[in-house]
Amino acid sequence: MLSATSSKGGNKDVSNGEIRVPFPEIVEGKIYTEEFLIAARGIVQIVDKLGKVFAPVKYDIQGNITKLTTKYEKNKQANATLQDMILTEKNTETNLIATDALLWLTRGLHMILLFLEKIIEDTRSSTPTEDLVAFLKKSYKEALEPYHGWMAQQLFDLLSRMVPTRSQLLRAIIGEENDVNDTVINDLEIYLTNLRENVSVIQTFYKAHNLENTT
């Protein structure tokens, strides 16, 4: 089952089909870095269960989490929130490694968010489909395709044909021993609420500070 318990109080993980670490609540418009990174690592473990089609996304997310973690650990107090960390880097450095890493991490999280939201919406319909290829392509088109070159786009188009069926994907997330029922879908929807808010706040922050073109 998916759990929406708070991430405060320790680095929990994703195991036995449970998402135990939600993305953090927004506090005065800011996101606490440590809680965000813990939740993002949980996403990596989820994505790892979804098959080869998500491998490039998984490695990209993982690499960007590593870059942000390295930056955060250099000065945890100054980098306590994502916004503080990014603005400090912008104002004091020329090589905006963390800024670029958070930008691409957010894009990857956005695609996963859109994809899972489409699955939830379809699952609640009277005739849910098992074929998720169209959902994945639409999510990629909105979240990542505008920022990818031609070769990356063609690779993703090829890999998208390998996406698991709806039942396979949901069972991979929640654990093979659990049934995909309304409770599971409700829990997944609750989990995505904080993810959606985190992605939206970061996107708005980047636009407000003109940080979308860092490379």
Side-chain angles (χ1 to χ4, degrees), residues 167-181:
S167 297
Q168 289 171 337
L169 185 142
L170 289 175
R171 285 188 179 280
I173 293 176
I174 66 174
E176 290 293 340
E177 71 280 4
N178 297 302
D179 293 327
V180 179
N181 52 40

Side-chain angles (χ1 to χ4, degrees), residues 108-127:
L109 294 176
H110 188 204
M111 192 197 77
I112 294 168
L113 169 67
L114 293 173
F115 182 52
L116 293 177
E117 284 183 333
K118 286 175 172 57
I119 293 172
I120 290 174
E121 182 181 1
D122 181 70
T123 300
R124 293 191 185 283
S125 70
S126 57
T127 56

Side-chain angles (χ1 to χ4, degrees), residues 13 22 42 71 93 99 115 126 151 160 168 182 189 214:
D13 60 6
K71 184 71 173 183
E93 299 181 30
T99 304
F115 182 52
S126 57
M151 288 186 66
S160 67
Q168 289 171 337
D182 288 342
E189 193 167 31
T214 59

